[in-house]
Amino acid sequence: MQEKSERKSNKYRSEEMRARLLSAARALFVEKGFAETSTPEIVKAAEVTRGALYHHFADKTDVFRAVVWAEAAAITEAIEAAAIGTEKDPLLAGSRGYFEAMRVPGRVRLMLIDAPAVLGLAEVAAVDAGNGRGSIAAGLREAAPGLAAAQVEALALILSAAFERAALEVAQGAPQDTYIDAFRTLWDGVVAGAPR
Amino acid sequence: MQEKSERKSNKYRSEEMRARLLSAARALFVEKGFAETSTPEIVKAAEVTRGALYHHFADKTDVFRAVVWAEAAAITEAIEAAAIGTEKDPLLAGSRGYFEAMRVPGRVRLMLIDAPAVLGLAEVAAVDAGNGRGSIAAGLREAAPGLAAAQVEALALILSAAFERAALEVAQGAPQDTYIDAFRTLWDGVVAGAPR
DNA sequence: GTTGGATGCATACAGTCTGTATGTGAATTC
DNA sequence: GAATTCACATACAGACTGTATGCATCCAAC
C-alpha cells in the first residue's frame, strides 16, 4: 500500500510552493499586467491561500520582483542558447536571439512596460545589467576603441534603449529584419564615425 | 457691499473644478507615481470631494490620462518656445529643448515610466505623436532622402527611444552634453551611412 | 419670474484588495 | 519524545475604488 500522507521535508515543500506561486503569478502578470492582478487571483490559480504567498514574499511587489528576476535569467539563457556556434557575427546573433526571446508572449509587457513602473529604474537597471547594456558596451569598446569611457557608457545606454524598443515592436508583430537593419544602421554609424 | 454667494455659471465652475483636480493630481502623480496616489489624496489636496472627481472623470486612470495629455502639450510648448530663433541647428536646439523640458521634476516618471504602464503603449504613442518621433522622422527624410520609408519609420522609432532614454538620464543628473553628444553620434552615423 | 428639468457636486454605500495577526499541524532539533 | 521552529491557513482591520443617491444651484421655456 502506498503511504497516504506523504512525508516531505520543509525545504522541499518550500521550494515547491515558491515555484507554484511564481508560475501562477507569472502567468497572470503576463496576461493582465501587475496592477490588474490581485493576490487572491494568484493564490487561486496556484491552488493555495494568501497565507502561503505572504509567508514566502514580503508583498505583492516582492512576488513581481521574483518573477522579473527569473524571467531575466530565462531571457539571458535563451539568448546564450541561440548564440552558441554563431561566431561569425556576434552582433547579429545577439540581436536575433534577443528579439526571439522577447517574442515570448507577455515578456515585453513584463520586462519593458511594467517592471520600470513597479520596481523603479534602478532595480530594472540591475536586473538586466548582465544583459543588453553590458554586451553593447563591450562590443563598442572592441569595435571603436577610440571612444572615451564616458561616451561608451552613454552610447551603450541609449543604444540599448533603442534596441529594447526595436524588440518591443518586433514582439508586437513588426518585421524582425526591418528592425535588425535599423539597429545595425545605428551600430555601424557609431563604429564608422568613431575616432580610431 | 460684496455679494455673499457669488453666482457662477456652470461652465465656469466646471472648468475651475477640472483645473483644481488636475493640478492636485499632477502634483501627486509626479511626486509619488500613479499607483501610490489615491483618489482621496487627490481630492483632499484639491479641497473637494471624490464626488467632484468622479463627476468629471470616469475613473482614476482617466484623471491620469488628462494629466498626461496636458503635460505632453506643455512639453511641446516648452520645446517650441526654446527653439524659436535657433535656426542654425534645429537638431541641437530640439535636443536641448527636450532635455530641458524633461528636467522638470517628475516629468520623466510621469511620461516615460508611468504612462506606458498605465495607459498602454498605443495611447502613449498617440500622446507624443506630434513630439519626438515625428520630428525625428521628418529630420531623417530631409537629411537622408535615400532611405526607404519603412527604414525611416523604424529608425525614427528606435532613435526616439534612444533619445527619451538620454533625456531620462539627463533628468536624473547626468551631464547633458554627454548625452547630446551621444545622440548626435547616432544621428550623424545614420545620416552618413545612408544611401544618397 | 416662476416652474421643470438638467447640471455640479457631496454624501453614503457595497465590494474588493492589501498586509498583518493569530492559530494549527507537521517537521526539525535536542 | 519533548520542545521548538517552520510552513501554511484562517481571521481581521484598514483603505481604496467605483456607484448610487441626494441636494443645491443653474438654466431654459413659458
Side-chain angles (χ1 to χ4, degrees):
Chain A
M1 272 178 76
Q2 291 190 345
E3 292 185 25
K4 268 210 183 131
S5 65
E6 331 162 27
R7 293 177 76 83
K8 296 177 182 175
S9 78
N10 276 345
K11 187 180 163 205
Y12 179 81
R13 271 159 53 96
S14 279
E15 286 171 1
E16 195 82 343
M17 178 61 84
R18 260 188 82 94
R20 282 181 79 82
L21 286 167
L22 288 180
S23 168
R26 199 207 90 101
L28 286 163
F29 288 149
V30 154
E31 181 198 344
K32 316 171 31 169
F34 176 80
E36 302 305 313
T37 301
S38 68
T39 55
E41 280 177 300
I42 295 171
V43 299
K44 187 181 172 189
E47 293 178 307
V48 294
T49 65
R50 285 178 4 103
L53 190 150
Y54 280 92
H55 181 71
H56 285 277
F57 302 96
D59 51 24
K60 188 182 149 189
T61 298
D62 198 38
V63 179
F64 184 78
R65 191 190 326 277
V67 168
V68 165
W69 281 92
E71 200 71 12
I75 291 169
T76 300
E77 197 178 351
I79 295 173
E80 287 172 358
I84 54 170
T86 341
E87 285 298 325
K88 57 170 186 170
D89 190 341
L91 180 66
L92 185 66
S95 302
R96 285 202 190 284
Y98 184 72
F99 283 160
E100 287 298 335
M102 291 308 275
R103 289 180 65 177
V104 171
R107 256 184 191 166
V108 156
R109 174 177 213 166
L110 193 64
M111 305 299 286
L112 303 184
I113 309 295
D114 276 2
V118 176
L119 303 179
L121 284 172
E123 181 160 1
V124 168
V127 167
D128 48 41
N131 265 356
R133 203 162 70 254
S135 319
I136 290 177
L140 270 184
R141 269 187 285 271
E142 190 188 328
L147 284 172
Q151 276 298 300
V152 169
E153 287 306 316
L155 280 168
L157 190 68
I158 70 178
L159 275 171
S160 78
F163 193 51
E164 284 178 358
R165 182 67 220 225
L168 199 156
E169 291 299 313
V170 171
Q172 289 184 343
Q176 190 172 99
D177 288 342
T178 300
Y179 282 93
I180 287 185
D181 285 353
F183 184 69
R184 179 165 281 286
T185 300
L186 291 195
W187 180 269
D188 290 345
V190 169
V191 171
R196 275 164 272 157
Chain B
M1 270 180 75
Q2 292 190 349
E3 292 184 27
K4 269 211 182 127
S5 64
E6 331 163 27
R7 293 177 76 83
K8 296 177 180 176
S9 77
N10 275 346
K11 188 179 162 207
Y12 179 80
R13 272 159 53 96
S14 279
E15 286 171 0
E16 195 83 344
M17 178 63 85
R18 260 188 85 94
R20 283 181 77 82
L21 285 167
L22 287 180
S23 168
R26 200 206 89 102
L28 286 162
F29 288 149
V30 154
E31 180 197 344
K32 316 172 31 170
F34 176 80
E36 302 305 314
T37 300
S38 68
T39 56
E41 281 176 299
I42 295 172
V43 299
K44 188 182 172 189
E47 293 178 306
V48 294
T49 66
R50 286 177 3 103
L53 191 151
Y54 280 93
H55 180 72
H56 284 278
F57 302 95
D59 52 23
K60 188 182 148 189
T61 298
D62 198 37
V63 179
F64 184 78
R65 190 188 329 276
V67 168
V68 165
W69 280 92
E71 199 72 12
I75 291 170
T76 299
E77 197 178 351
I79 295 174
E80 287 172 358
I84 56 172
T86 341
E87 285 298 325
K88 56 170 187 172
D89 190 341
L91 180 68
L92 185 66
S95 303
R96 285 202 189 284
Y98 184 71
F99 283 161
E100 287 298 335
M102 291 307 274
R103 287 179 67 176
V104 172
R107 255 183 192 167
V108 156
R109 175 177 212 166
L110 192 65
M111 305 299 287
L112 303 184
I113 309 295
D114 276 2
V118 176
L119 303 179
L121 284 172
E123 181 160 1
V124 168
V127 167
D128 47 42
N131 266 354
R133 202 163 69 256
S135 318
I136 291 178
L140 270 183
R141 269 188 284 272
E142 189 187 329
L147 285 172
Q151 276 298 300
V152 168
E153 287 305 317
L155 279 169
L157 191 68
I158 70 178
L159 275 171
S160 78
F163 192 50
E164 284 179 357
R165 183 67 220 225
L168 199 158
E169 290 299 312
V170 171
Q172 289 184 344
Q176 189 172 99
D177 287 342
T178 299
Y179 282 93
I180 287 186
D181 285 354
F183 184 68
R184 179 165 279 286
T185 299
L186 291 195
W187 180 270
D188 289 345
V190 168
V191 172
R196 275 166 275 160

